[in-house]
Amino acid sequence: MAGGNWTKVEEFILISFSSLPTEIQSLLFLTFLIIYLATLMGNTLIILVTLADPMLHSPMYFFLRNLSFMEIGFNLVIVPKMLGTLLAWDRTISFLGCATQMYFSFFFGVDECFLLATMAYDRCVAICSPLHYPVIMNQRTRAKLAVASWFPGFPVATVQTTWLFSFPFCGTNKVNHFFCDSPPVLRLVCADTALFEIYAIVGTILVVMTPCLLILCSYTHIAAAILKIPSAKGKHKAFSTCSSHLLVVCLFYVSLSLTYFRPKSNNSPESKKLLSLSYTVVTPMLNPIIYSLRNNEVKNALGRTFRKALGLRNCIP
């Protein structure tokens, strides 16, 4: 990073929500702390219950456990630092720390896209081929699908983060965001980033839209299968098995696509922060709530787990 007026950047400053009054920041800190704790507890509970209850050892809940692991990882990468910036403890983040945060945010974000597509395929097989479902989605197959869902994050995060942080930075080192996301960090680069922006758009299409198209394809088959069910009760039961997943997909993909399709767009930084909050903070908290409140199997398993923990196993069937 030598030559011209370029200076070597050793740390960044996260602007976060510092433009807001102190009272509002304190209120945001309390709100996000509650959401953060609820996210960790909710997703941990989903993992423990689906592991402990034999009734939830089906492929659907195997993939749900993977989703909960991803949500916990996503939150641990982003939210603790954001909480620190809200209390003005320390808004600085080292060059390496910023790169690490960006790497893992890409890693978990990309993997979640592919996992949601895998979960859609699982629901498609369960509804369209219920008799062959146990054979198709055997232990070996679901393990392979899980590995395939976790793998894409490695190359995407490695290439994007390494490339972006190889650029020279000059002038301000203030990142106008609550974490080291690609678009706001890209604004600090003192070099021609046209090729990187093309890569970012192509990468977004591949890692966001490709799984999205696979999800649409799966739900097209699901809709066709549901329409063939003669009874309204049967249709409702079939739809209820995938409604939670469909809601999670809508929440995640809409905000993610609006944020990353235009890495240097003229959209307000504040609007992008709000969009980022939806998929980094709010959606991970809502996922366990959506899956537990809209799924009788999970609710029943939670009830059995709590009764067992309280020593009431023999009192209530």
Side-chain angles (χ1 to χ4, degrees):
M1 296 200 191
N5 294 322
W6 295 347
T7 6
K8 184 175 181 180
V9 173
E10 295 183 352
E11 65 179 20
F12 294 96
I13 299 172
L14 296 173
I15 299 298
S16 190
F17 301 96
S18 59
S19 60
L20 298 175
T22 305
E23 296 78 9
I24 301 296
Q25 290 189 61
S26 300
L27 181 60
L28 286 176
F29 171 82
L30 183 61
T31 302
F32 292 145
L33 177 62
I34 293 171
I35 291 175
Y36 176 59
L37 295 175
T39 300
L40 294 183
M41 289 188 291
N43 283 287
T44 301
L45 189 60
I46 289 290
I47 293 169
L48 294 177
V49 168
T50 55
L51 282 173
D53 197 304
M55 300 294 292
L56 301 184
H57 286 180
S58 66
M60 174 182 174
Y61 298 107
F62 169 77
F63 294 124
L64 181 57
R65 282 197 297 276
N66 279 265
L67 180 63
S68 291
F69 273 116
M70 287 183 185
E71 300 292 27
I72 290 171
F74 212 171
N75 259 239
L76 289 174
V77 167
I78 294 171
V79 180
K81 184 61 181 178
M82 181 185 69
L83 293 175
T85 62
L86 284 170
L87 283 188
W89 288 337
D90 185 9
R91 289 197 173 98
T92 62
I93 183 169
S94 68
F95 188 89
L96 180 59
C98 187
T100 302
Q101 190 180 56
M102 184 182 293
Y103 178 91
F104 283 105
S105 66
F106 275 126
F107 172 74
F108 287 114
V110 170
D111 287 346
E112 185 162 340
C113 289
F114 283 90
L115 181 61
L116 289 173
T118 298
M119 294 173 76
Y121 171 71
D122 171 70
R123 292 298 82 210
C124 181
V125 175
I127 292 173
C128 299
S129 304
L131 297 178
H132 299 96
Y133 179 66
V135 177
I136 297 173
M137 297 300 293
N138 55 56
Q139 280 192 325
R140 187 174 180 179
T141 301
R142 61 179 122 164
K144 287 181 178 179
L145 288 171
V147 171
S149 299
W150 280 91
F151 175 75
F154 286 108
V156 172
T158 300
V159 173
Q160 181 128 339
T161 305
T162 303
W163 191 354
L164 179 51
F165 280 87
S166 68
F167 285 120
F169 293 87
C170 63
T172 179
N173 64 342
K174 295 180 179 179
V175 179
N176 194 3
H177 213 321
F178 56 84
F179 75 103
C180 285
D181 199 10
S182 177
V185 173
L186 188 63
R187 291 178 182 274
L188 308 181
V189 171
C190 295
D192 182 7
T193 60
L195 188 59
F196 177 84
E197 290 180 62
I198 293 172
Y199 161 79
I201 294 172
V202 173
T204 301
I205 293 172
L206 290 176
V207 304
V208 176
M209 297 310 297
T210 301
C212 189
L213 290 174
L214 293 173
I215 291 171
L216 287 174
C217 182
S218 295
Y219 275 103
T220 300
H221 285 87
I222 288 171
I226 290 176
L227 289 174
K228 293 178 182 178
I229 299 174
S231 68
K233 185 178 179 181
K235 289 179 180 179
H236 179 267
K237 184 178 179 181
F239 179 75
S240 66
T241 64
C242 56
S243 59
S244 299
H245 175 262
L246 190 58
L247 182 56
V248 169
V249 166
C250 292
L251 289 171
F252 182 77
Y253 271 97
V254 170
S255 57
L256 194 67
S257 300
L258 289 174
T259 302
Y260 289 106
F261 263 119
R262 295 165 63 192
K264 261 193 175 177
S265 69
N266 294 322
N267 291 349
S268 160
E270 300 305 317
S271 66
K272 286 204 168 187
K273 289 179 190 177
L274 291 175
L275 284 171
S276 298
L277 280 173
S278 65
Y279 75 86
T280 58
V281 179
V282 179
T283 302
M285 177 198 67
L286 292 177
N287 285 354
I289 296 174
I290 291 170
Y291 275 103
S292 59
L293 292 182
R294 298 180 63 86
N295 191 309
N296 287 329
E297 289 183 336
V298 174
K299 285 190 286 188
N300 293 336
L302 284 170
R304 288 192 295 269
T305 302
F306 283 126
R307 289 197 296 269
K308 188 182 295 185
L310 294 172
L312 301 176
R313 179 171 37 183
N314 298 322
C315 298
I316 306 173

